[in-house]
Amino acid sequence: MPQITVGFLGLGIMGTAMARNLLKKKGELFSDVIIWNRTASKMYRSHVLPFAPGLWYVPRGVINAAPLVTTQYDTDRSHEARMLLPSPSFHVSGLERLRNAIWICTAELEVEGCKVAATPSELIQRCDITFGMLSDPDVALSVVFGEGGVLEGAAAGKSYVDMSTVDEQTSIKIGEALTAKGMRFLEAPVSGSKGPAIAGQLVILCAGDRSLYDECTGAFDLMGKKALFLGEVGAGARMKLVVNMVMGSMMGAFTEGMALADKGGLQQQDLLDVLSLGAIANPMFSMKGPTMIERSYAPAFPLKHQQKDMRLAIALGDQLGQSLPIAAAANELYKVARTEHGDKDFSAVYEATAPKK
């Protein structure tokens, strides 16, 4: 099978790890991996590198986009130095000599071998298959329908795989618009957070174009431990919301148990030990319990996204006439915690039940 060019839209906690896993097969499965991020400044890192008088030391392959840097310090090797600006409002003065170093701003994944597109439209045009991992339905829609969006670059022969967690209506709207332009569309939300994304151990829940699903097998094998095809567009979105609703409800009950144990004079670690020996033992309790004891919540799956998924799942229940009282109650905990802890890990929902520090 000939190599294809793949793209990745959305470089948050999950997207960065997933794109990096695709990059592992550049030159084997993929001719290129091209990236784009909505908040461009989050894609860039500054580097300070040593230099010798008269020479620039630019890491090979680091920078490959215009404009060419021209400063009073340029040398006959200045053609090797090119600069990427995160955004028009992000001020940099170019490639500068410090006392014994140079400073440069580059895209993290570009350093590792990816190429960077200026817009989703450009990325779609340059790629055979594009993957998207956006934060919520509004963002997923804006990246497709907004100025410079996916739809502007849509053409027959192009394919889009949306791995974002969105509601069924959003997924259908995106799919219908792109297929009307001759593209193929697959929804493929994932079950798993930062750790599984880094390890390539996500569960990928696909629905839509079966031929595209089959062609994505190699990419899915890099990003996940299992990919399932669930049928027509919408089935993947529904399955993901059900999974995250169950997870969020479990976490809500778990945080109440941890708070009650503490209030009752019990050692929370003892509760974790007891839970690990019974029928409800599971990795989530063993991983998240210690973060609650320490009250330190480095984000693997941000709480604001978990609350969004609870909201969408409850809305699906309303749409289908399915009562979800436990999920609705758990959602109230997330809403309380989101005010101060939205960007922290979703285990920070404990702060909605725990005594104040």
Side-chain angles (χ1 to χ4, degrees):
M1 183 176 178
Q3 292 182 5
I4 63 172
T5 298
V6 295
F8 209 100
L9 302 171
L11 299 173
I13 291 173
M14 300 290 288
T16 296
M18 295 161 72
R20 182 172 282 123
N21 283 332
L22 294 178
L23 189 58
K24 292 175 181 178
K25 291 295 183 178
K26 179 181 176 181
E28 185 176 338
L29 290 179
F30 314 123
S31 56
D32 268 315
V33 179
I34 304 175
I35 56 174
W36 174 88
N37 196 51
R38 185 170 60 104
T39 307
S41 60
K42 293 182 179 179
M43 191 167 60
Y44 289 79
R45 297 285 180 86
S46 59
H47 305 269
V48 177
L49 306 169
F51 77 100
L55 294 177
W56 294 122
Y57 284 82
V58 181
R60 183 179 180 184
V62 167
I63 302 171
N64 53 25
L68 183 68
V69 175
T70 54
T71 75
Q72 60 179 313
Y73 302 117
D74 281 352
T75 70
D76 58 358
R77 295 184 61 194
S78 63
H79 64 280
E80 299 181 18
R82 294 174 181 266
M83 178 179 65
L84 291 169
L85 295 178
S87 70
S89 62
F90 188 92
H91 176 72
V92 295
S93 54
L95 189 60
E96 299 177 353
R97 256 189 223 211
L98 307 177
R99 286 189 176 181
N100 59 357
I102 57 174
W103 177 90
I104 198 165
C105 186
T106 64
E108 180 181 3
L109 285 174
E110 189 185 19
V111 174
E112 299 174 30
C114 288
K115 294 181 179 178
V116 179
T119 65
S121 175
E122 178 195 325
L123 188 144
I124 283 284
Q125 292 170 359
R126 294 169 63 184
C127 296
D128 299 295
I129 299 176
T130 297
F131 299 89
M133 188 61 168
L134 293 317
S135 59
D136 59 40
D138 289 341
V139 174
L141 290 168
S142 69
V143 167
V144 172
F145 295 99
E147 183 179 355
V150 170
L151 195 60
E152 288 187 12
K158 303 296 184 179
S159 300
Y160 185 53
V161 181
D162 191 354
M163 307 187 79
S164 317
T165 298
V166 300
D167 56 281
E168 179 179 356
Q169 290 73 25
T170 295
S171 196
I172 291 173
K173 182 176 181 179
I174 291 172
E176 288 178 345
L178 296 182
T179 55
K181 292 278 192 174
M183 289 184 62
R184 293 182 299 170
F185 176 73
L186 189 73
E187 61 172 353
V190 302
S191 179
S193 57
K194 181 180 179 180
I198 292 172
Q201 293 292 298
L202 297 167
V203 178
I204 306 171
L205 309 170
C206 306
D209 191 298
R210 181 63 195 241
S211 67
L212 179 53
Y213 168 80
D214 292 338
E215 289 179 27
C216 287
T217 299
F220 289 156
D221 286 345
L222 291 168
M223 295 186 283
K225 62 182 177 182
K226 181 70 174 179
L228 298 91
F229 186 78
L230 303 173
E232 297 297 320
V233 172
R238 291 194 301 272
M239 181 66 79
K240 176 60 191 296
L241 292 180
V242 171
V243 169
N244 275 21
M245 181 196 74
V246 172
M247 180 176 70
S249 298
M250 285 177 61
M251 181 63 81
F254 180 44
T255 61
E256 290 185 347
M258 290 287 281
L260 181 60
D262 186 48
K263 198 76 175 273
L266 302 173
Q267 294 296 312
Q268 290 177 316
Q269 184 58 56
D270 289 342
L271 173 60
L272 296 182
D273 293 341
V274 172
L275 291 174
S276 71
L277 298 171
I280 60 171
N282 68 80
M284 186 173 74
F285 291 173
S286 62
M287 289 189 297
K288 303 303 184 182
T291 70
M292 296 178 191
I293 293 173
E294 298 170 7
R295 300 180 82 160
S296 176
Y297 311 103
F301 179 42
L303 187 147
K304 62 185 179 184
H305 295 332
Q306 176 63 66
Q307 194 276 315
K308 175 261 297 182
D309 293 348
M310 297 296 287
R311 172 177 57 81
L312 293 176
I314 292 167
L316 178 62
D318 288 343
Q319 176 189 335
L320 299 176
Q322 174 63 52
S323 178
L324 301 171
I326 294 173
N331 186 44
E332 294 304 312
L333 290 178
Y334 288 99
K335 286 162 66 176
V336 170
R338 180 172 180 165
T339 303
E340 295 183 14
H341 307 286
D343 290 324
K344 298 177 183 177
D345 188 73
F346 80 117
S347 56
V349 70
Y350 178 63
E351 297 299 324
T353 61
K356 300 298 180 183
K357 291 183 181 179

